[in-house]
Amino acid sequence: MGPTGSGKSTFIDHATGGDGRDIGHSLKSTTHDIIVRKTEIGAKPFAFVDTPGFNDTIRSDYEILAEIAGFLVKAHQGGYQLNKILYLHRISDNRMAGTPLKNLELFASLCGNIAMPNVIIVTTMWSLVHDDIGDKRVQMLAGTFWKQMKEGGCHIERFDDNMDSAHMIALERGTRPNITLVTEELVNKGKPLKSTEAGIILNKQLDALLKEEKAASLQLEQLSQRQTNPEAKSHLESELQAIKKSIREKTLELQRLNRSALGSILRVFSRSQAPAIQGPSEELT
């Protein structure tokens, strides 16, 4: 898991000996649905699960959360165990804010302390920074944004854009595989998605964005009313329409989140061309 453009597909391509044709090279998401790619590492079967990032360029955060939650529930019901959960982070990013921070918050709430010992934070894009700068960023992040996850038992590893590096991370010895918090909440506790930790975090994020956009919409309306230049007025009105469209979409997203139950989550998952889960013969990473 990780934000769009963090290197998820690249990691899996190297781990499975792919040819790179499916790797995205822009900020536009190329992983729209959950994809499972199987391989063997040291004669041991692995199934790598590639997920779309939150703040996707095509789909809403609710749809992505519902699809990932649905996959985790189906995997649990099918007898699969998650051997490791990898969260990819671009070490080339010089600050933690906006999309990366929102992704991290949602990821941590999906896993919870119950699965944190099986989590590895994988730093990527080392070719874009000097090692000393990258090392300082890792130390800073480990002591701030990643501190609580580290205290929960997660590890931090560096990915060097090659097969050996991917295999080393995949084969790292971990604790006994466990279910994620969102699976525990949905299946064993019978909670609706909105009442899970991940659902609560997403609700707060969407509500905060709505407030920001409504404030921006009011300011633009006031500026447009005072503007006498036709060209400038037209530009302001276009911006206003775009913000109002975003407000409508986020309002709908909140409504869908607040009425989603396990059945509707599994329907979102089944509509997404999701891969078949056949049996507990492989470890999922």
Side-chain angles (χ1 to χ4, degrees):
M1 293 181 65
T4 297
S6 60
K8 300 185 295 294
S9 299
T10 300
F11 180 94
I12 291 177
D13 201 63
H14 282 297
T16 58
D19 57 13
R21 284 182 298 181
D22 296 328
I23 297 173
H25 299 286
S26 71
L27 292 178
K28 186 175 181 180
S29 174
T30 54
T31 303
H32 306 314
D33 300 309
I34 289 177
I35 299 169
V36 176
R37 293 187 45 188
K38 300 180 180 181
T39 191
E40 286 191 357
I41 302 175
K44 187 175 184 179
F46 275 82
F48 288 89
V49 183
D50 194 1
T51 66
F54 293 103
N55 294 91
D56 185 71
T57 52
I58 294 175
R59 302 171 61 199
S60 72
D61 285 349
Y62 163 76
E63 290 174 308
I64 292 168
L65 175 59
E67 184 177 344
I68 291 172
F71 177 85
L72 292 170
V73 168
K74 281 286 190 181
H76 174 69
Q77 291 173 338
Y80 272 104
Q81 291 184 313
L82 291 173
N83 180 44
K84 291 179 184 69
I85 309 170
L86 310 182
Y87 182 83
L88 276 66
H89 173 83
R90 293 184 299 259
I91 202 62
S92 54
D93 289 351
N94 59 12
R95 64 191 183 95
M96 176 71 87
T99 297
L101 185 56
K102 291 172 186 174
N103 269 266
L104 185 68
E105 288 174 343
L106 281 167
F107 172 78
S109 64
L110 277 166
C111 297
N113 289 333
I114 191 171
M116 203 53 68
N118 299 96
V119 170
I120 302 176
I121 298 174
V122 179
T123 55
T124 63
M125 313 292 178
W126 280 88
S127 62
L128 302 179
V129 297
H130 291 295
D131 281 1
D132 57 341
I133 294 174
D135 289 338
K136 286 178 182 177
R137 286 178 184 170
V138 170
Q139 290 176 9
M140 184 277 290
L141 290 164
T144 53
F145 296 103
W146 299 343
K147 184 178 180 180
Q148 190 171 353
M149 293 171 66
K150 276 202 71 184
E151 289 172 348
C154 89
H155 303 276
I156 302 170
E157 295 290 349
R158 167 176 169 163
F159 174 52
D160 287 320
D161 282 323
N162 59 59
M163 181 183 285
D164 288 343
S165 180
H167 286 185
M168 182 193 72
I169 292 169
L171 290 169
E172 181 177 318
R173 187 177 297 277
T175 61
R176 181 175 60 86
N178 211 335
I179 66 172
T180 58
L181 176 61
V182 74
T183 307
E184 169 79 9
E185 291 174 311
L186 289 169
V187 177
N188 298 342
K189 295 183 178 179
K191 290 185 177 182
L193 185 59
K194 70 175 182 178
S195 299
T196 65
E197 287 298 315
I200 291 168
I201 291 291
L202 179 57
N203 199 314
K204 287 179 180 177
Q205 290 181 357
L206 288 171
D207 191 53
L209 283 171
L210 267 175
K211 288 177 180 175
E212 289 176 10
E213 291 185 345
K214 286 178 179 178
S217 174
L218 181 60
Q219 286 182 330
L220 281 173
E221 281 183 345
Q222 292 171 346
L223 284 171
S224 179
Q225 288 169 2
R226 293 197 300 265
Q227 184 57 249
T228 56
N229 183 295
E231 187 175 344
K233 189 177 182 68
S234 176
H235 179 70
L236 286 170
E237 288 176 351
S238 295
E239 286 188 20
L240 181 60
Q241 291 306 312
I243 288 179
K244 286 183 175 180
K245 181 174 181 270
S246 180
I247 289 171
R248 289 194 298 271
E249 289 171 350
K250 286 182 176 61
T251 301
L252 178 61
E253 208 173 333
L254 272 171
Q255 290 171 352
R256 293 180 70 191
L257 173 63
N258 286 326
R259 64 171 181 258
S260 59
L262 181 57
S264 63
I265 293 168
L266 295 178
R267 283 194 293 275
V268 170
F269 172 69
S270 65
R271 286 198 302 267
S272 66
Q273 303 178 0
I277 299 174
Q278 298 173 339
S281 59
E282 292 136 342
E283 291 187 348
L284 292 176
T285 297

